[in-house]
Amino acid sequence: MELIRGLHNLAPGHRGCVVSIGNFDGLHLGHQALIGRLLALSQQHGLPSTVMVFEPTPREFFAPQSAPPRIAGFRGKLRLLQRAGIDRVLLLRFDRRLANLPAADFVQRILVEGLGARAVVVGDDFRFGHQRGGDVALLRRIGAEAGFSVDGLGCVMIDEHRYSSTAVREALALPDLEQAGRLLGRRYRVFGRVRRGLQLGRELGMPTANLVLRHRPALAHGVYAVKAYWPERPQGAAGVASLGVRPTLGLTACLLETHVFGGPLSLYGVEMEIEPWHYLRPQQRFDTLDALAAQMQVDGEQAKSFFNIGL
């Protein structure tokens, strides 16, 4: 899959494609319906499939304090789109210039002149352009003149509830991992690269692989029985993980710390995917490191019991 960072990196060879536009946070089953239609049109037209996404998201740009947490960071979003079979991702920086671009100009400059779109697939509630002035009806009117078709897909439903990023976030916040999995069509995962931390887990007898989360995660802070995946262990390895801000140490950066049972002592720099399977307890503050170490051992034993690993 090719990642194109910004309109200035579009080349003549990128013209002529089918396009879908959106945030695609989490790539839930509603998003997957859009992707499925996009891939069908890609095959029908014999053209590459292109997904257009924005960083930051429009809501993060306009109201960063009230923007919803991320189901997946940008790294995870790319991984999921690649696995879905997308050929190209066009990443646009959402800034004041893009926010002020009138809807008709957005279509002309990006879809027509930049991408040479032959077909566009969006949700039927898709809005775009300055003050969200554009909608599917406007896309269709311009497309009829510019030579591209527009599919506006209705929402996908489950038990009379629509698949949506909001519904996934609500499930993860509980946390209801089973409901989140139903909405996503797979188990929820956190993606990231292992960074060097304080090495406190090593000192306390449980070395951890640390993923620093740039964006506020949708998953509730706490301790989980997890499976960890990395290139050398594509089948996964069981472990225990803590998500949060480490209140015992008085820190504020959100971190996902994972201890892999029987895993290597060092995974620095490795791309990992952490899959929570069972919620063990909320994050809490301990008065001493000894108390924290004792609870970590209990957490590990509970995770091993969940996975039926001999203690």
Side-chain angles (χ1 to χ4, degrees), residues 278-292:
H278 180 65
Y279 179 68
L280 296 175
R281 64 172 178 85
Q283 194 175 51
Q284 61 189 96
R285 183 184 182 281
F286 295 92
D287 292 331
T288 66
L289 289 180
D290 287 342
L292 171 61

Side-chain angles (χ1 to χ4, degrees), residues 130-168:
H130 180 57
Q131 295 183 343
R132 296 167 53 85
D135 57 12
V136 173
L138 177 62
L139 264 181
R140 289 196 171 113
R141 289 197 298 271
I142 298 177
E145 299 176 358
F148 64 82
S149 65
V150 177
D151 276 23
L153 270 65
C155 63
V156 180
M157 306 291 288
I158 177 174
D159 298 331
E160 300 183 356
H161 298 285
R162 65 177 296 168
Y163 287 100
S164 68
S165 296
T166 297
V168 177

Side-chain angles (χ1 to χ4, degrees), residues 235-251:
Q235 76 279 14
V240 60
S242 175
L243 172 67
V245 296
R246 296 169 290 176
T248 301
L249 303 180
L251 302 176

Side-chain angles (χ1 to χ4, degrees), residues 6-299:
L7 291 178
H8 60 285
N9 283 318
L10 283 174
H14 293 133
R15 287 182 53 79
C17 61
V18 296
V19 186
S20 189
I21 310 167
N23 287 326
F24 294 98
D25 188 17
L27 208 68
H28 55 67
L29 286 174
H31 293 143
Q32 291 172 44
L34 287 176
I35 295 298
R37 179 57 179 158
L38 182 72
L39 294 175
L41 288 172
S42 172
Q43 185 173 20
Q44 177 183 323
H45 289 281
L47 293 171
S49 57
T50 299
V51 168
M52 187 190 308
V53 296
F54 309 93
E55 285 288 334
T57 67
R59 291 183 68 178
E60 289 170 347
F61 174 78
F62 286 113
Q65 301 304 317
S66 61
R70 294 275 187 114
I71 300 170
F74 182 62
R75 187 190 303 273
K77 184 183 300 185
L78 289 182
R79 188 77 58 86
L80 293 169
L81 289 171
Q82 182 178 34
R83 290 175 182 169
I86 295 300
D87 295 310
R88 298 170 182 159
V89 171
L90 174 60
L91 170 63
L92 297 184
R93 177 175 177 78
F94 198 91
D95 54 16
R96 183 59 59 184
R97 177 179 297 182
L98 187 59
N100 288 335
L101 192 64
D105 290 350
F106 177 94
V107 177
Q108 182 64 31
R109 294 184 190 179
I110 301 175
L111 294 179
V112 178
E113 297 172 6
L115 291 170
R118 292 282 302 279
V120 177
V121 182
V122 291
D124 58 6
D125 58 352
F126 176 65
R127 303 300 294 261
F128 63 98
H130 180 57
Q131 295 183 343
R132 296 167 53 85
D135 57 12
V136 173
L138 177 62
L139 264 181
R140 289 196 171 113
R141 289 197 298 271
I142 298 177
E145 299 176 358
F148 64 82
S149 65
V150 177
D151 276 23
L153 270 65
C155 63
V156 180
M157 306 291 288
I158 177 174
D159 298 331
E160 300 183 356
H161 298 285
R162 65 177 296 168
Y163 287 100
S164 68
S165 296
T166 297
V168 177
R169 292 187 192 103
E170 290 173 349
L172 291 173
L174 289 173
D176 185 341
L177 298 173
E178 296 302 321
Q179 174 65 359
R182 283 190 288 270
L183 294 167
L184 293 169
R186 63 183 186 283
R187 287 190 177 275
Y188 171 74
R189 288 187 180 183
V190 179
F191 300 78
R193 185 184 298 275
V194 179
R195 306 295 186 187
R196 183 178 294 274
L198 299 175
Q199 301 192 41
L200 181 62
R202 185 184 300 267
E203 295 178 13
L204 298 179
M206 293 186 69
T208 58
N210 302 328
L211 305 186
V212 179
L213 307 182
R214 292 183 54 203
H215 299 279
R216 181 165 58 100
L219 182 64
H221 288 187
V223 179
Y224 296 83
V226 303
K227 287 190 177 180
Y229 302 82
W230 66 96
E232 286 71 34
R233 293 292 296 272
Q235 76 279 14
V240 60
S242 175
L243 172 67
V245 296
R246 296 169 290 176
T248 301
L249 303 180
L251 302 176
T252 58
C254 189
L255 191 70
L256 179 61
E257 303 171 281
T258 303
H259 173 70
V260 179
F261 301 135
L265 292 178
S266 176
L267 287 165
Y268 298 135
V270 172
E271 295 272 356
M272 291 192 78
E273 301 176 24
I274 307 300
E275 191 175 77
W277 278 60
H278 180 65
Y279 179 68
L280 296 175
R281 64 172 178 85
Q283 194 175 51
Q284 61 189 96
R285 183 184 182 281
F286 295 92
D287 292 331
T288 66
L289 289 180
D290 287 342
L292 171 61
Q295 183 61 53
M296 289 170 60
Q297 293 299 323
V298 172
D299 296 336

